[in-house]
Amino acid sequence: MSTHQWRGVIEEYRDLLDIPAGTPAITLGEGGTPLVTSRWLSEAGDAEVWLKVEGQNPTGSFKDRGMTAAISVAVHEGAKACVCASTGNTSASMAAYAVKAGITPIVLVPEGKIAAGKMAQAVIHGAQVIQVRGNFDDCLKLSRGLAEHYPVALVNSVNPVRLEGQKTASFEVVDRLGDAPDFHLLPVGNAGNISAYWLGYQQYAAAGKATKRPVMRAFQAEGAAPLVTGEVFPHPETKATAIRIGNPASWKLAEAAAAESGGRFASLSDTQILTAQRNLAARDGVFVEPASAAGVAGFLQDLERGESYAGKTVVITVTGHGLKDVATALESFGTLEPTVVDAEVDAAAAAAGLI
Ligand code: F0G
């Protein structure tokens, strides 16, 4: 039996990451997340469908992969404070890694548009949380401005070190499956993650660790779909608040990933996204936040539109944990009537439908 203990993505893949030699790793044990088969999706597509469950990372989203890299390098270079704009997950992750490193986290978020769990994370880790009257894109402008004029390190995914960390997810997929999948599907917001996955897949193929590179298909919410329409959304709107972004920073890199892989972008209604979220929880036992279900909703939309995945290997990244946004998850059930019984076996059995 293997006694290997996962050491976090920097130590597991250091030779493959473009970070300064000798950078000490600030890690919370991120990465090494499960790749789980999905029976209902496999049956629906007559394909082999796997979920890369990124909610299993230390702060509950894929952001930890990039954050271990960005914070480690920032601290190595002498940073005493760091800043990010966020729809919630980046800030939760940055706050945790910053305090682990002993530096000050400063978080800029759109006022009133952050899921409660994510806000709680930033606050409890002790971040300086600043709510901005504006959307994520406004916050990113401020974040860049602060880093330009004040001694704070910018750790949004415009910092290329973030992508270095995040690309380890593709390495893990290939290491687990023995080759790259035929298709990789995922949600897109600020477009760092698709860019990072594509970097990783290209690097592994070039190194001979994979015989192919997947087709990248990426999904946005209808109300925030600039990569689909080719136009900035000045007022992005969606219940999937994590991807409520109208002008993604990695726009060009994401377009290149889609074009070079033979992939594309498509959009989904909030209803499609929330239905996929519910079905993932009810059928696979995997509870993700709304935005995280966009890849699954996209897969189902493709099938409905007559796209074939038959006989193919498909990996879908589910990006963040459902517990981050319990309110939106429960909203779609309407009012929940609690079932209350006296403390008697027969009463519980009757309520459970056993008699
Ligand atoms: N899924 C979740 C749960 C996210 O939090 C994000 C982005 C994405 C998908 C999209 O990834 O931006 O790399 O295209 N969240 C950022 C944040 C913007 O601030 O937490 P992307």
Side-chain angles (χ1 to χ4, degrees), residues 61-63 85-91 118 136 156-157 162 166 187-194 242-243 245 289 291-292 319-320:
S61 85
F62 71 96
K63 303 288 181 182
S86 185
T87 55
N89 281 321
T90 300
S91 50
K118 302 174 190 181
F136 169 85
N156 278 109
S157 56
R162 278 275 308 279
Q166 282 176 213
V188 177
N190 206 30
N193 210 28
I194 181 177
I243 53 173
I245 293 175
E289 64 169 286
S292 302
T319 44

Side-chain angles (χ1 to χ4, degrees), residues 3-61:
T3 54
H4 179 73
Q5 292 281 313
W6 186 264
R7 296 165 298 167
V9 299
I10 293 182
E11 295 308 352
E12 293 296 329
Y13 292 110
R14 187 182 281 272
D15 294 349
L16 301 173
L17 307 185
D18 186 11
I19 60 173
T23 303
I26 309 291
T27 181
L28 292 168
E30 63 294 320
T33 55
L35 198 58
V36 175
T37 48
S38 171
R39 201 169 66 190
W40 68 288
L41 292 173
S42 296
E43 282 173 5
D46 190 20
E48 183 184 315
V49 180
W50 298 85
L51 303 172
K52 182 70 171 154
V53 184
E54 290 289 274
Q56 297 280 19
N57 276 296
T59 76
S61 85

